Amino acid sequence: MTEDVYRLKSPEGVETELPVRKGTVGPDVVDIARLYRDQRVFTYDPGFVSTGSCESDITYIDGEEGILMYRGYPVEQLAANSSFIEVSYLLLNGELPTEQQLSEFDNTIRMHTMLNDGMLSFFKGFRYNAHPMAMLSAVVGSMSAYYHEEMDSSNPLHRDIFAHRILAKLPTIAAAAYKLNSGQPFIYPRNDLNFTENLLHMLFAVPAEPYEIDPVAAEALDLLFILHADHEQNCSTSTVRMAGSSGANPYSAIAAGISALWGPAHGGANEAVLNMLEEIGDVSQIGKYVEKAKDKNDAFRLMGFGHRVYKNFDPRATIIREMAHKVLKQLDRKDTPMFDLALELEQVALQDDYFVEKNLYPNVDFYSGIIYRALGIPTSMFTVMFALGRSVGWTAHWREMISDPSGKIARPRQLYTGPVARDYTAIEER
Ligand code: CMC
């Protein structure tokens, strides 16, 4: 069928028909797998701007329309009606749970929250001011030392247990990192609390006095986790898939994903936004910083602006913006000047030709930090919060990748621009 193939003719006249594959929704995909065999050429696409790396039925994004769906459900509907634990079940299993399935899943996650006590001693080895993302990546990587012999990736039950452990134990590790930074004793999880309440408890409770969980804080965090839960083949998820494609221990693949998330162009942007707002300091300085962001000779970028896929608006940012209003009002926080500064910066940038022409809009990270800060979470923990939400997306993608019988090790090619073959010269002749 003519409409189902792409015809390619090399300069030498060799013809190849490349099949066009159709998803359930979204643009068609040209399958170039046979291109090298037929034409002896590779494709070149740094940053994977036009390249699909896998087939997936987990998450769909339409960047032009600002659509994000998990397993077909619009993120707005999930944000309004669901919980992070229910969304996690959906991402991992493909369907929304029944009441009984949800209760069993919730209970399973609660029963996996404790760490092997030996793991806590890792924290004694970290410097008191170690970045929590570094600790999270290191300790999650070390889970592969605890769960290697009993982790058979071809066994569906083992894959389930892995997913449960990642989801349940990451908050405990994150909270331990925070406690190390703040010089407070580690707080053990409480399985009578739900996922988000338990995290707040482990972060903020101290042995000396009772800690009361603020329902506004729990609701806001849960919403942020839902919005961060998955985002198809982003940098960290692709890293997890790539590391996992070699058959590596999946805990170490997740550690690789955490490392990828840390960068300021990815999850590290939420920390960078707050640092940027602090540096700007006052609305009177906005013009100066917007000019810096536009200056090609200045490396400064408006953090929290722009996205590889969203070229209209980031639906997550719209929801978070509203939540930021609610949280600041309900918690009666004095962070309003920071929020006002962010709102003003957004307005100035949205009306600026540079940002309009390049389709640069606030992304998920622009407002999330303002909420974290209002909840008393320090800036260095912001990307850790992102990782806790995204952990379920990583495990869902790892499971999808590893269960695919046609799966291959991820191994891109390159355009070589180094020296051509030359003879080794003895050191005295150089
Ligand atoms: N401020 C100023 N200029 C920008 C910005 C920005 N935040 N983002 C992109 N541009 C310009 C960039 O200079 C380039 O201009 P030109 O075409 O003249 O060279 C053009 O817009 C396209 O940018 P790009 O870097 O080629 O686009 P990309 O798709 O490779 O990068 C991005 C996307 C998110 C890395 C980038 O927009 C950026 O660095 N934003 C700031 C960091 C940030 O907020 N990251 C969080 C992303 S959302 C959370 C997540 O998914 O992790």
Side-chain angles (χ1 to χ4, degrees):
M1 285 185 295
T2 43
E3 68 271 26
D4 288 331
V5 293
Y6 245 71
R7 289 211 164 69
L8 245 155
K9 200 171 180 181
S10 75
E12 294 78 31
V14 180
E15 274 197 41
T16 302
E17 283 190 350
L18 299 173
V20 175
R21 303 193 54 192
K22 292 182 186 306
T24 44
V25 58
D28 292 346
V29 171
V30 183
D31 183 343
I32 58 159
R34 61 203 279 182
L35 190 65
Y36 181 66
R37 193 196 64 192
D38 292 358
Q39 300 271 3
R40 310 310 277 176
V41 288
F42 299 131
T43 54
Y44 181 68
D45 183 20
F48 308 112
V49 178
S50 303
T51 298
S53 60
C54 63
E55 194 179 307
S56 179
D57 57 19
I58 301 174
T59 288
Y60 175 75
I61 303 174
D62 181 333
E64 314 302 323
E65 299 297 324
I67 293 171
L68 169 61
M69 302 189 302
Y70 299 156
R71 303 283 192 185
Y73 294 102
V75 76
E76 292 81 0
Q77 288 184 24
L78 295 169
N81 303 301
S82 191
S83 66
F84 176 62
I85 276 296
E86 187 181 51
V87 166
S88 298
Y89 182 97
L90 172 69
L91 285 167
L92 290 170
N93 299 291
E95 296 296 335
L96 285 169
T98 61
E99 223 168 287
Q100 194 189 337
Q101 286 167 332
L102 181 60
S103 141
E104 281 170 13
F105 179 70
D106 185 34
N107 191 49
T108 303
I109 300 304
R110 288 177 196 230
M111 292 307 137
H112 278 88
T113 51
M114 277 176 69
L115 304 182
N116 181 304
D117 233 45
M119 258 184 225
L120 287 180
S121 56
F122 293 144
F123 289 91
K124 296 199 174 82
F126 292 122
R127 200 162 184 265
Y128 69 98
N129 62 352
H131 196 287
M133 279 300 276
M135 291 192 266
L136 187 69
S137 171
V139 178
V140 171
S142 78
M143 285 171 83
S144 58
Y146 282 82
Y147 309 113
H148 188 62
E149 295 308 323
E150 58 184 79
M151 180 69 231
D152 171 6
S153 296
S154 65
N155 183 331
L157 182 64
H158 290 197
R159 300 200 287 252
D160 281 354
I161 296 172
F162 155 73
H164 298 154
R165 283 191 182 132
I166 287 292
L167 189 54
K169 294 189 198 304
L170 253 67
T172 315
I173 298 170
Y178 170 69
K179 287 300 193 190
L180 175 81
N181 285 162
S182 45
Q184 290 178 4
F186 172 72
I187 299 290
Y188 281 93
R190 263 183 52 192
N191 293 352
D192 60 315
L193 298 174
N194 73 26
F195 183 90
T196 313
E197 292 167 347
N198 182 44
L199 172 66
L200 286 167
H201 158 75
M202 290 189 292
L203 286 172
F204 298 122
V206 287
E209 57 187 40
Y211 171 69
E212 212 176 300
I213 291 151
D214 185 327
V216 178
E219 188 198 347
L221 260 193
D222 208 67
L223 176 85
L224 287 169
F225 290 151
I226 292 174
L227 297 176
H228 282 107
D230 194 38
H231 215 228
E232 49 119 305
Q233 309 311 321
N234 58 87
C235 177
S236 54
T237 303
S238 299
T239 302
V240 171
R241 276 183 175 264
M242 189 158 197
S245 75
S246 71
N249 182 296
Y251 295 97
S252 54
I254 298 290
I258 294 169
S259 304
L261 184 76
W262 192 5
H266 192 11
N270 54 16
E271 182 176 342
V273 169
L274 250 282
N275 292 337
M276 175 190 75
L277 290 174
E278 260 159 19
E279 190 185 323
I280 296 175
D282 186 78
V283 281
S284 63
Q285 299 301 305
I286 287 177
K288 183 176 121 194
Y289 281 89
V290 169
E291 288 312 310
K292 266 167 76 65
K294 288 156 57 176
D295 182 354
K296 284 273 152 247
N297 299 317
D298 192 325
F300 176 79
R301 282 188 168 198
L302 274 195
M303 299 315 287
F305 269 78
H307 198 274
R308 170 63 62 77
V309 182
Y310 295 120
K311 298 299 173 198
N312 193 336
F313 66 96
D314 181 339
R316 304 167 299 173
T318 313
I319 301 169
I320 293 182
R321 193 177 191 267
E322 268 174 41
M323 181 48 100
H325 271 292
K326 189 172 161 190
V327 167
L328 290 178
K329 199 160 159 230
Q330 291 193 354
L331 294 182
D332 196 22
R333 290 283 309 205
K334 305 282 172 261
D335 288 320
T336 320
M338 185 69 87
F339 189 47
D340 291 344
L341 180 62
L343 286 174
E344 186 59 27
L345 177 60
E346 181 188 27
Q347 280 320 305
V348 173
L350 289 180
Q351 285 160 19
D352 190 288
D353 286 348
Y354 173 95
F355 288 87
V356 173
E357 278 159 22
K358 293 185 190 296
N359 297 317
L360 300 169
Y361 296 88
N363 59 47
V364 67
D365 289 327
F366 192 65
Y367 289 112
S368 59
I370 290 175
I371 301 183
Y372 292 138
R373 192 175 145 125
L375 302 183
I377 295 170
T379 316
S380 62
M381 283 291 289
F382 289 2
T383 314
V384 172
M385 295 295 127
F386 191 152
L388 299 186
R390 186 57 53 85
S391 65
V392 69
W394 292 329
T395 51
H397 281 271
W398 177 84
R399 285 204 326 182
E400 186 178 65
M401 182 272 306
I402 210 79
S403 326
D404 179 357
S406 64
K408 284 184 175 6
I409 184 170
R411 204 310 182 181
R413 303 306 299 254
Q414 62 169 2
L415 176 65
Y416 176 70
T417 54
V420 294
R422 48 183 171 165
D423 289 327
Y424 178 83
T425 40
I427 196 158
E428 60 276 10
E429 288 166 25
R430 284 175 222 158

mmCIF file of all heavy atoms in Angstrom, residues 3 32 66 72 101 114 118 121 124 130 151 164 172-173 192 257 294 304 324 331 379 417 421:
data_model
loop_
_atom_site.group_PDB
_atom_site.id
_atom_site.type_symbol
_atom_site.label_atom_id
_atom_site.label_comp_id
_atom_site.label_asym_id
_atom_site.label_seq_id
_atom_site.Cartn_x
_atom_site.Cartn_y
_atom_site.Cartn_z
ATOM 1 N N GLU A 3 0.472 4.343 0.775
ATOM 2 C CA GLU A 3 0.474 5.289 1.895
ATOM 3 C C GLU A 3 1.188 4.715 3.135
ATOM 4 O O GLU A 3 1.429 5.423 4.088
ATOM 5 C CB GLU A 3 -0.942 5.758 2.248
ATOM 6 C CG GLU A 3 -1.852 4.703 2.828
ATOM 7 C CD GLU A 3 -2.615 3.937 1.765
ATOM 8 O OE1 GLU A 3 -2.122 3.862 0.620
ATOM 9 O OE2 GLU A 3 -3.679 3.405 2.080
ATOM 10 N N ILE A 32 12.934 2.828 10.339
ATOM 11 C CA ILE A 32 14.174 2.900 9.553
ATOM 12 C C ILE A 32 15.135 1.752 9.877
ATOM 13 O O ILE A 32 16.299 1.791 9.482
ATOM 14 C CB ILE A 32 14.891 4.251 9.772
ATOM 15 C CG1 ILE A 32 15.205 4.445 11.257
ATOM 16 C CG2 ILE A 32 14.094 5.410 9.221
ATOM 17 C CD1 ILE A 32 16.302 5.443 11.520
ATOM 18 N N GLY A 66 -0.913 20.599 23.957
ATOM 19 C CA GLY A 66 -0.757 20.593 25.420
ATOM 20 C C GLY A 66 -1.521 19.454 26.068
ATOM 21 O O GLY A 66 -2.182 19.634 27.094
ATOM 22 N N GLY A 72 -4.210 6.717 28.460
ATOM 23 C CA GLY A 72 -5.412 7.257 27.818
ATOM 24 C C GLY A 72 -6.198 8.239 28.676
ATOM 25 O O GLY A 72 -7.085 8.924 28.175
ATOM 26 N N GLN A 101 -8.614 -3.977 44.303
ATOM 27 C CA GLN A 101 -7.249 -3.948 43.742
ATOM 28 C C GLN A 101 -6.456 -2.773 44.309
ATOM 29 O O GLN A 101 -5.278 -2.896 44.629
ATOM 30 C CB GLN A 101 -7.310 -3.841 42.205
ATOM 31 C CG GLN A 101 -7.730 -5.125 41.517
ATOM 32 C CD GLN A 101 -8.085 -4.903 40.049
ATOM 33 O OE1 GLN A 101 -8.518 -3.815 39.656
ATOM 34 N NE2 GLN A 101 -7.913 -5.937 39.249
ATOM 35 N N MET A 114 10.005 -0.066 54.624
ATOM 36 C CA MET A 114 11.241 -0.101 55.428
ATOM 37 C C MET A 114 12.444 -0.495 54.573
ATOM 38 O O MET A 114 12.326 -1.256 53.632
ATOM 39 C CB MET A 114 11.093 -1.087 56.588
ATOM 40 C CG MET A 114 10.391 -0.462 57.780
ATOM 41 S SD MET A 114 10.107 -1.621 59.093
ATOM 42 C CE MET A 114 11.748 -1.923 59.673
ATOM 43 N N GLY A 118 20.788 -2.237 57.330
ATOM 44 C CA GLY A 118 22.183 -2.047 56.914
ATOM 45 C C GLY A 118 22.330 -0.863 55.970
ATOM 46 O O GLY A 118 23.366 -0.184 55.957
ATOM 47 N N SER A 121 23.277 2.575 57.256
ATOM 48 C CA SER A 121 24.664 2.907 57.598
ATOM 49 C C SER A 121 25.378 3.590 56.441
ATOM 50 O O SER A 121 26.395 4.245 56.641
ATOM 51 C CB SER A 121 25.427 1.673 58.076
ATOM 52 O OG SER A 121 25.340 0.693 57.097
ATOM 53 N N LYS A 124 25.899 7.192 57.041
ATOM 54 C CA LYS A 124 26.990 7.608 57.933
ATOM 55 C C LYS A 124 28.235 7.951 57.119
ATOM 56 O O LYS A 124 29.109 8.683 57.570
ATOM 57 C CB LYS A 124 27.318 6.506 58.929
ATOM 58 C CG LYS A 124 26.181 6.199 59.887
ATOM 59 C CD LYS A 124 26.703 5.443 61.128
ATOM 60 C CE LYS A 124 25.606 5.258 62.146
ATOM 61 N NZ LYS A 124 24.745 4.118 61.851
ATOM 62 N N ALA A 130 26.085 16.545 51.742
ATOM 63 C CA ALA A 130 26.015 15.883 50.422
ATOM 64 C C ALA A 130 24.685 16.222 49.761
ATOM 65 O O ALA A 130 23.645 16.312 50.442
ATOM 66 C CB ALA A 130 26.130 14.377 50.606
ATOM 67 N N MET A 151 16.745 -11.353 41.956
ATOM 68 C CA MET A 151 16.098 -10.528 40.922
ATOM 69 C C MET A 151 16.320 -11.169 39.556
ATOM 70 O O MET A 151 17.367 -11.002 38.941
ATOM 71 C CB MET A 151 16.699 -9.114 40.975
ATOM 72 C CG MET A 151 16.146 -8.132 39.959
ATOM 73 S SD MET A 151 14.439 -7.654 40.237
ATOM 74 C CE MET A 151 13.691 -7.920 38.656
ATOM 75 N N HIS A 164 7.347 -2.574 43.290
ATOM 76 C CA HIS A 164 6.811 -2.221 44.617
ATOM 77 C C HIS A 164 7.910 -1.659 45.523
ATOM 78 O O HIS A 164 7.707 -0.686 46.240
ATOM 79 C CB HIS A 164 6.173 -3.451 45.285
ATOM 80 C CG HIS A 164 5.014 -3.995 44.514
ATOM 81 N ND1 HIS A 164 4.611 -5.296 44.576
ATOM 82 C CD2 HIS A 164 4.171 -3.385 43.622
ATOM 83 C CE1 HIS A 164 3.571 -5.482 43.783
ATOM 84 N NE2 HIS A 164 3.287 -4.336 43.184
ATOM 85 N N THR A 172 11.565 6.637 51.707
ATOM 86 C CA THR A 172 12.324 6.387 52.938
ATOM 87 C C THR A 172 13.779 6.822 52.740
ATOM 88 O O THR A 172 14.386 7.444 53.623
ATOM 89 C CB THR A 172 12.240 4.888 53.311
ATOM 90 O OG1 THR A 172 10.887 4.457 53.168
ATOM 91 C CG2 THR A 172 12.715 4.638 54.726
ATOM 92 N N ILE A 173 14.338 6.508 51.567
ATOM 93 C CA ILE A 173 15.725 6.902 51.274
ATOM 94 C C ILE A 173 15.823 8.427 51.162
ATOM 95 O O ILE A 173 16.742 9.051 51.705
ATOM 96 C CB ILE A 173 16.206 6.223 49.964
ATOM 97 C CG1 ILE A 173 16.187 4.703 50.113
ATOM 98 C CG2 ILE A 173 17.589 6.718 49.561
ATOM 99 C CD1 ILE A 173 16.402 3.933 48.812
ATOM 100 N N ASP A 192 0.709 3.021 58.825
ATOM 101 C CA ASP A 192 -0.715 3.402 58.944
ATOM 102 C C ASP A 192 -0.991 4.668 58.135
ATOM 103 O O ASP A 192 -2.146 5.037 57.934
ATOM 104 C CB ASP A 192 -1.085 3.632 60.418
ATOM 105 C CG ASP A 192 -0.258 4.757 61.055
ATOM 106 O OD1 ASP A 192 0.978 4.785 60.839
ATOM 107 O OD2 ASP A 192 -0.846 5.626 61.727
ATOM 108 N N GLY A 257 18.799 6.537 36.043
ATOM 109 C CA GLY A 257 17.717 7.487 35.731
ATOM 110 C C GLY A 257 17.717 8.662 36.700
ATOM 111 O O GLY A 257 17.520 9.818 36.301
ATOM 112 N N LYS A 294 17.847 36.320 26.661
ATOM 113 C CA LYS A 294 17.747 36.443 25.194
ATOM 114 C C LYS A 294 19.114 36.640 24.532
ATOM 115 O O LYS A 294 19.249 36.467 23.325
ATOM 116 C CB LYS A 294 16.850 37.640 24.852
ATOM 117 C CG LYS A 294 15.393 37.377 25.156
ATOM 118 C CD LYS A 294 14.579 38.627 25.399
ATOM 119 C CE LYS A 294 14.594 39.632 24.294
ATOM 120 N NZ LYS A 294 13.693 40.785 24.578
ATOM 121 N N GLY A 304 12.805 26.920 33.992
ATOM 122 C CA GLY A 304 11.370 26.676 34.088
ATOM 123 C C GLY A 304 10.617 27.130 32.854
ATOM 124 O O GLY A 304 9.387 27.082 32.821
ATOM 125 N N ALA A 324 -0.484 26.280 43.409
ATOM 126 C CA ALA A 324 0.409 27.199 44.135
ATOM 127 C C ALA A 324 -0.414 28.309 44.796
ATOM 128 O O ALA A 324 -0.198 28.647 45.964
ATOM 129 C CB ALA A 324 1.445 27.781 43.182
ATOM 130 N N LEU A 331 -2.060 27.841 53.475
ATOM 131 C CA LEU A 331 -1.026 27.702 54.504
ATOM 132 C C LEU A 331 -0.665 29.056 55.102
ATOM 133 O O LEU A 331 0.129 29.144 56.027
ATOM 134 C CB LEU A 331 0.231 27.046 53.940
ATOM 135 C CG LEU A 331 0.121 25.585 53.486
ATOM 136 C CD1 LEU A 331 1.466 25.086 53.003
ATOM 137 C CD2 LEU A 331 -0.379 24.690 54.605
ATOM 138 N N THR A 379 15.344 23.737 49.047
ATOM 139 C CA THR A 379 15.579 23.760 47.601
ATOM 140 C C THR A 379 16.332 22.516 47.113
ATOM 141 O O THR A 379 16.006 21.968 46.062
ATOM 142 C CB THR A 379 16.380 25.036 47.238
ATOM 143 O OG1 THR A 379 15.800 26.120 47.956
ATOM 144 C CG2 THR A 379 16.315 25.328 45.768
ATOM 145 N N THR A 417 33.962 11.705 13.228
ATOM 146 C CA THR A 417 34.672 12.858 12.650
ATOM 147 C C THR A 417 36.128 12.907 13.134
ATOM 148 O O THR A 417 36.792 13.936 13.023
ATOM 149 C CB THR A 417 33.964 14.182 13.043
ATOM 150 O OG1 THR A 417 33.846 14.209 14.462
ATOM 151 C CG2 THR A 417 32.582 14.309 12.424
ATOM 152 N N ALA A 421 42.622 6.298 9.585
ATOM 153 C CA ALA A 421 43.638 5.359 10.069
ATOM 154 C C ALA A 421 45.047 5.928 9.907
ATOM 155 O O ALA A 421 45.381 6.508 8.870
ATOM 156 C CB ALA A 421 43.510 4.052 9.292
#
